[in-house]
Amino acid sequence: MSKSQTILDLSECIKLARELDILGDYEKALSKYQTALNLVTQRKSEVSDSSLKENWGQVETLINNEIKMTQEALKFAQTFQNNDETRLERAKQEEIRNQNLMRNNQEQKNEIQYDPKWERFGGMRPFEIWEKDEPEDPKERDPDVWSPPKVKPNNRGFNRGRLVNYDPNAAAKAQAGKGQNPKGKDTGKKGGKEEEDRKKGKSAFYLHYYPNGEGPDGELIEMIEREVMERSPNVKFDDIAELEEAKITLKEAVLLPLLMPDFFRGVRRPWKGVLLYGPPGTGKTLLAKALATQGKTTFFSVSPTTFASKWKGESEKLVRILFEMARFYAPSTVFIDEVDALGQKRGDGDNEASRKVLAEMLVQMDGVSGKLDQEDLSVEELKKNIVMVMGATNLPWDLDEALRRRFEKKVYIPLPNSVGRREMFRINTKGLEVAKNIDWDRLVLKTEGYSGADIANICREASLITMREILKRTGGRIDFTLIRDHPSFVMKQLQAPVTQSNFDEAVKYIPSSVSQSEVKKYEQFRDEYSNK
Ligand code: ADP
């Protein structure tokens, strides 16, 4: 057979086999793959050039891999076929849709032009089918085959890396070399294409802070915008079970001043800070997010333990820029989780640095409320200056004395009562298939003393127990290849209603995370500080 005829037949065969694979007709797909394999083996025996022989050998391996995956899929499908024909059929249909979507997406993503060099591999795009077998050693890779599609550089010119990569001194070092002042305003390079390029992709706040599009804290600003700021956290009060008293207090303390800034002037000025305290996992963060969503404020969420470890010695700068940004994007909510950790001495003995952060926080909180005290501000100006500071803590007694005073309003967020727990079961089983005969009252009774996070964990665990039971019925074997290649098909097979015994087992497995003595401690704090 001629080379071109082999390639044509091969392409056709592989295409057909894959389509049959997607349609779930694994038996027919296998027969097509076999024909393709025969063609390749024959062609390999015909060519004499050793490098061509090797290439055909690679094609052979790849087809064999696809055959193996199809055989696995066939086996897996057969284990379910006897149990539930219709479910399998539905799963297959869904799988087809997903596979088609994935392929379309992949094709758009790759945006790669056909390269005639690939002719020698039967006209197939190498990266598309050989990704899985790419040699680990780059030297062993054929550059024609293994060179990845080119990625367009991000127009901000830096990787969207995580906080870990942030070097607080990097920008300053770079700047020192250029002889620019810290605010980056007098470079003498105003105007021109260079400046235009620098400004491209920079946020409004960045350009407000560094009008020429560059400065030593640029990276820090972009990081805060990326990691700390959320335009709208999209949490509704209805997503939060019960806590009616806290919701009313918070709406009055936080939402009304946003809606009627003019009314909340002088003696009625908004609280300097609102503290949510109580056992962990009771909805403090959810409440802060719901307030930010409903009040349409820009939401900034930070935790001192995170930023202290990432910005050693620079944390107070982070606090300063954070508040400056919050004022710029006002009305805003600055939410500080684990606020008790502010100003505390940490394990590394860097007490001086943590005191500096605390001092900066106190200054900023005073600054925010001081601005709102100005009587000559118009309503519009007032709105533009509203920055609500909210803190959350599980250890209110550890809070620094001066900081505690700044949090003028303190709201206790207790463990959920029976109404709250029932509601939490409802919220957390929303997307789950649950048996019709669940005795919810019994579960609510059994979970007395549990937090919202504990109940979320119980629901998660109960649904996983269901999955494990199904896996056990299929021999307990986890087929990672099938999961990787046909995720939604496998997902469908593993779904079954969560039963009462699954929930009972999960409750036994997950103890409540808060003890009675801890609850007493919170109540003592409430009695002592609620109005102080
Ligand atoms: P924390 O009080 O520690 O800030 P979170 O607000 O982060 O707790 O809640 C942790 C998780 O617990 C939430 O993601 C949610 O699943 C669940 N949860 C806690 N309280 C509630 C509640 N009142 N309503 C609904 N879910 C809740």
Side-chain angles (χ1 to χ4, degrees), residues 154-161 202 218-219 222-223 226:
N154 153 345
N155 66 358
R156 287 187 177 198
F158 66 93
N159 283 334
R160 292 179 68 81
K202 299 282 162 58
E219 215 175 319
E222 292 191 300
M223 192 279 309
R226 205 170 54 234

Side-chain angles (χ1 to χ4, degrees), residues 87 425 428-440 443 455-470 473 494-507:
R87 252 180 48 207
F425 274 112
N428 285 294
T429 50
K430 241 185 214 165
L432 275 182
E433 216 183 314
V434 175
K436 291 207 168 57
N437 59 348
I438 302 285
D439 186 348
W440 295 111
L443 284 173
I455 292 175
N457 281 340
I458 287 174
C459 295
R460 189 178 310 127
E461 184 59 27
S463 69
L464 288 175
I465 292 173
T466 320
M467 180 203 78
R468 281 181 215 128
E469 280 174 354
I470 298 176
R473 281 206 295 275
L494 293 177
Q495 263 169 21
V498 188
T499 63
Q500 177 77 45
S501 68
N502 297 153
F503 278 112
D504 290 342
E505 206 178 317
V507 174

